[in-house]
Amino acid sequence: MPLPTPTSWTASAPLVAPLTREGDTPYSVKDPTLVEHDGTWHMFCTVRSAVRSHQIEHLTSDSLDDWSGATRSLLTCVDGYFCAPQVFYFRPHGLWYLVYQTHAEGRRLGLQPAYSTTADISDPASWTRPSLFFPDDALPTVERWIDFWVICDDARAHLFFTSLDGHMWRASTDIASFPRGFGDAEC
């Protein structure tokens, strides 16, 4: 259904602004993913700054509407480039998964979908080092990819992503094999 004409938008003031850290000028906060767990909201987002171009920050707040007093921590599960997070709880493993893109030296596709896990979403230091979803450059149909997202149904886990040429892709695996076993991607 088309949008009514004329279309107008309204916006609130920013809910989260970049945090200035000693010796590092912030530029932006983007790509938020949110989850509420045990009465606390957890936000994971990309932070861009002068020192590290792409990193993930974890914020917690008791209120979805007020992040001004949020506790903020930069994640340390990756030393270099990592961004565009998605967080979800995967009941079959009893773990939280953080899906993101990171740089993998020596791969045909330098940016790679990766994940870290934790049993305690409230502890920013508990995330594991990154594991790549694909053991090698096994996706011959994909030339470029960014912004990875996992959605599960009763039987399969689907890894969605976009390519810089405007396409949306999906690779799938069965729930029992997740986070491994993804086949080639379909556009």
Side-chain angles (χ1 to χ4, degrees), residues 46-62:
T46 301
V47 178
R48 301 213 46 202
S49 66
V51 173
R52 286 189 58 190
S53 68
H54 295 79
Q55 55 197 331
I56 295 175
E57 185 174 36
H58 174 222
L59 295 84
T60 59
S61 177
D62 294 333

Side-chain angles (χ1 to χ4, degrees), residues 65-115:
D65 298 325
D66 182 11
W67 290 86
S68 62
T71 301
R72 301 173 79 146
S73 302
L74 292 175
L75 297 189
T76 58
C77 50
V78 178
D79 296 327
Y81 173 102
F82 72 126
C83 65
Q86 178 212 9
V87 67
F88 63 94
Y89 186 75
F90 190 64
R91 186 169 285 122
H93 295 168
L95 293 172
W96 291 94
Y97 274 76
L98 185 68
V99 175
Y100 50 89
Q101 66 192 36
T102 191
H103 186 264
E105 194 68 40
R107 292 278 181 113
R108 178 180 64 85
L109 300 173
L111 295 180
Q112 289 285 314
Y115 65 91

Side-chain angles (χ1 to χ4, degrees), residues 10-180:
T10 60
S12 70
L15 296 176
V16 175
L19 178 66
T20 299
R21 291 179 166 87
E22 188 174 328
D24 194 6
T25 304
Y27 299 134
S28 67
V29 173
K30 62 182 193 162
D31 308 323
T33 180
L34 291 157
V35 66
E36 187 271 337
H37 179 66
D38 287 341
T40 300
W41 286 95
H42 299 268
M43 179 191 299
F44 296 84
C45 54
T46 301
V47 178
R48 301 213 46 202
S49 66
V51 173
R52 286 189 58 190
S53 68
H54 295 79
Q55 55 197 331
I56 295 175
E57 185 174 36
H58 174 222
L59 295 84
T60 59
S61 177
D62 294 333
S63 170
L64 186 57
D65 298 325
D66 182 11
W67 290 86
S68 62
T71 301
R72 301 173 79 146
S73 302
L74 292 175
L75 297 189
T76 58
C77 50
V78 178
D79 296 327
Y81 173 102
F82 72 126
C83 65
Q86 178 212 9
V87 67
F88 63 94
Y89 186 75
F90 190 64
R91 186 169 285 122
H93 295 168
L95 293 172
W96 291 94
Y97 274 76
L98 185 68
V99 175
Y100 50 89
Q101 66 192 36
T102 191
H103 186 264
E105 194 68 40
R107 292 278 181 113
R108 178 180 64 85
L109 300 173
L111 295 180
Q112 289 285 314
Y115 65 91
S116 294
T117 61
T118 185
D120 183 2
I121 193 171
S122 65
D123 181 1
S126 67
W127 291 97
T128 62
R129 299 291 296 168
S131 295
L132 300 179
F133 278 103
F134 296 93
D136 53 32
D137 286 324
L139 295 178
T141 58
V142 178
E143 292 298 320
R144 299 174 292 188
W145 54 1
I146 59 170
D147 298 341
F148 305 94
W149 199 265
V150 173
I151 299 174
C152 298
D153 58 33
D154 290 339
R156 315 235 346 121
H158 308 278
L159 177 67
F160 292 90
F161 56 92
T162 57
S163 52
L164 296 173
D165 58 4
H167 290 94
M168 173 148 314
W169 299 80
R170 180 187 70 190
S172 299
T173 188
D174 60 84
I175 289 288
S177 298
F178 180 80
R180 300 284 181 227

